[in-house]
Amino acid sequence: MDLVTALGHAVWMAFAMFWEILWPLILGFSLSALVQAVISKSEMTRLLPNDSPRSLAIACGLGAASSSCSYAAVALARSIFRKGADFTAAMAFELASTNLVAELTVIIIVLMGWQFAAAEFVGGPLMVVLMALLFRLFLSRKLVAKARTQADKGLKGKMEGHAEMDMSVTQGSFWQRVKSKNGLTAMSHYFVMDLLAVWKDIAGGLLIAGALAAWVPKDFWKEFFLVSHPVAAKVWGPIVGPIVAVVSFVCSVGNIPLAAVLWNGGISFGGVIAFIYADLIVLPIIDIYRKYYGWKVAGLIVAVFYVAMALAALLIELLFDLLGLIPSQRSAQIVETSISLNYTTVLNVIFLAIAFLLAIRFLKTGGPKMLAQME
């Protein structure tokens, strides 16, 4: 296979994956925008005073109601920490905002199946609990003080402006806010800005996934993930899954196509879950932790997150295996062989129309003026 043919094959695989996830991507971001439009960020600090089970549960709920952009989640976690929120609760919010959001769930279900989405939602709170226990053991008051001093310097990371934006409607009942003109405007703003925040990660994830699917032989994955050693593979998958994520540089929902390729290649069920969790410890975000909190706390965050992710994924693997919920077939829907008039195409057209209407609303209601504030 010559270079041009190989590149063409990889690009086609990437586009085919994009076509497969287009409508669930729009649906997920629409649901996320709807939730953000009617739930305010302004009360977060008051609701997260400590690392109690109640505060951690609220942090998970607020995270699930926020943007899935990993960079925005990291920036917002620092913001609420600077305003007085507990450090552990802020980190719990961060984990939930990239692992328990609507767009992630929809894409996982479409590409990989409901079992993976269920594992993500069961394992997410478990990962938060493990993280909180580890921070209680290793995060001293002195380190928290150092982290707060460094955070108060206000060094720029990425998506600072997007994280601070609060365009939510707070007057009236939930349904009144949803149906109001201001609610629709807020929804359109969140929808467009959230997509703009993560499009590079989505594109990068698709291109990397396309290249891996097109170029890497299946025998390599089988050897790398110890497919011929089932017991060892269960442990190896959660260990190596986050490491693959760290070096892939892909955050947020962009790593789901990659996860599908890895699953088809032979990584364990728990390994897939650990890989998806690890979007918050990729190399660019580790550098942001350094700027936000200093090297010592950044190193502790990465170590605690890694252990919590790997251990939660392994426990989920064991639980789902016990319940018989791990799929027996490795047939994640990565690509369609051709674009044809089927349910995927029909749904893509419908949801592209919805996205178009939201984009028009965004353009007509002052959205472009806010774009300069995103970075």
Side-chain angles (χ1 to χ4, degrees):
M1 184 182 294
D2 59 47
L3 180 61
V4 174
T5 302
L7 287 173
H9 189 200
V11 171
W12 166 252
M13 294 287 281
F15 175 76
M17 292 181 205
F18 169 72
W19 188 252
E20 189 69 28
I21 69 170
L22 180 57
W23 73 263
L25 192 67
I26 296 172
L27 172 60
F29 275 102
S30 299
L31 292 173
S32 178
L34 175 63
V35 172
Q36 291 180 82
V38 297
I39 296 179
S40 174
K41 295 178 181 177
S42 61
E43 293 297 304
M44 287 185 180
T45 302
R46 182 181 64 81
L47 294 171
L48 305 176
N50 51 46
D51 63 350
S52 67
R54 181 177 183 274
S55 288
L56 295 178
I58 292 173
C60 287
L62 293 172
S66 70
S67 165
S68 67
C69 173
S70 303
Y71 295 101
V74 172
L76 185 52
R78 181 183 68 162
S79 176
I80 60 179
F81 172 60
R82 290 179 68 187
K83 293 174 183 177
D86 179 78
F87 183 82
T88 300
M91 294 298 104
F93 164 85
E94 190 180 300
L95 288 172
S97 67
T98 61
N99 290 292
L100 301 177
V101 289
E103 53 267 45
L104 188 80
T105 305
V106 176
I107 294 174
I108 289 175
I109 291 173
V110 170
L111 280 186
M112 305 180 71
W114 66 268
Q115 297 95 329
F116 291 92
E120 184 82 4
F121 264 81
V122 174
L126 176 59
M127 176 172 56
V128 168
V129 170
L130 292 170
M131 176 209 68
L133 292 174
L134 289 168
F135 274 139
R136 283 196 177 187
L137 287 173
F138 299 106
L139 182 65
S140 65
R141 291 183 180 180
K142 184 178 179 180
L143 279 177
V144 172
K146 285 185 176 180
R148 196 175 295 279
T149 299
Q150 181 68 20
D152 286 339
K153 292 180 181 179
L155 299 179
K156 290 291 184 181
K158 189 176 180 182
M159 291 296 166
E160 304 277 350
H162 183 51
E164 292 289 345
M165 291 176 185
D166 191 353
M167 302 165 283
S168 57
V169 178
T170 57
Q171 295 181 342
S173 67
F174 177 84
W175 288 112
Q176 286 174 331
R177 282 177 273 168
V178 169
K179 295 186 293 183
S180 68
K181 289 183 178 180
N182 288 338
L184 179 59
T185 297
M187 180 180 173
S188 70
H189 285 206
Y190 278 119
F191 175 82
V192 173
M193 291 189 177
D194 283 355
L195 273 176
L196 291 175
V198 302
W199 77 267
K200 291 180 182 178
D201 289 307
I202 295 172
L206 287 168
L207 288 171
I208 294 172
L212 293 178
W215 299 343
V216 179
K218 290 184 178 180
D219 288 344
F220 170 82
W221 292 125
K222 290 179 180 178
E223 290 292 330
F224 184 70
F225 294 129
L226 306 181
V227 172
S228 59
H229 306 280
V231 176
K234 290 181 183 295
V235 178
W236 177 243
I239 291 173
V240 76
I243 296 173
V244 175
V246 168
V247 298
S248 74
F249 284 74
V250 178
C251 308
S252 189
V253 294
N255 64 3
I256 304 305
L258 270 170
V261 171
L262 296 180
W263 170 248
N264 284 355
I267 194 172
S268 69
F269 185 80
V272 171
I273 301 304
F275 172 84
I276 295 172
Y277 286 157
D279 63 325
L280 287 171
I281 55 173
V282 297
L283 293 175
I285 287 181
I286 291 174
D287 187 54
I288 293 174
Y289 290 144
R290 175 190 62 81
K291 292 179 183 178
Y292 282 1
Y293 308 115
W295 272 117
K296 286 186 178 180
V297 176
L300 182 61
I301 291 171
V302 174
V304 166
F305 277 15
Y306 175 81
V307 173
M309 291 165 180
L311 187 54
L314 178 59
L315 293 173
I316 288 299
E317 165 110 32
L318 296 175
L319 174 63
F320 274 55
D321 190 23
L322 182 65
L323 297 175
L325 295 178
I326 296 178
S328 58
Q329 300 295 320
R330 294 181 177 271
S331 55
Q333 182 63 38
I334 296 179
V335 298
E336 293 189 47
T337 55
S338 62
I339 307 302
S340 57
L341 185 58
N342 54 18
Y343 85 94
T344 298
T345 301
V346 172
L347 288 173
N348 281 346
V349 171
I350 292 172
F351 280 94
L352 279 171
I354 294 172
F356 178 76
L357 293 175
L358 288 171
I360 293 297
R361 182 77 178 186
F362 172 83
L363 293 172
K364 289 184 175 181
T365 54
K369 292 181 180 179
M370 302 182 71
L371 290 180
Q373 304 174 36
M374 282 189 66
E375 290 291 346

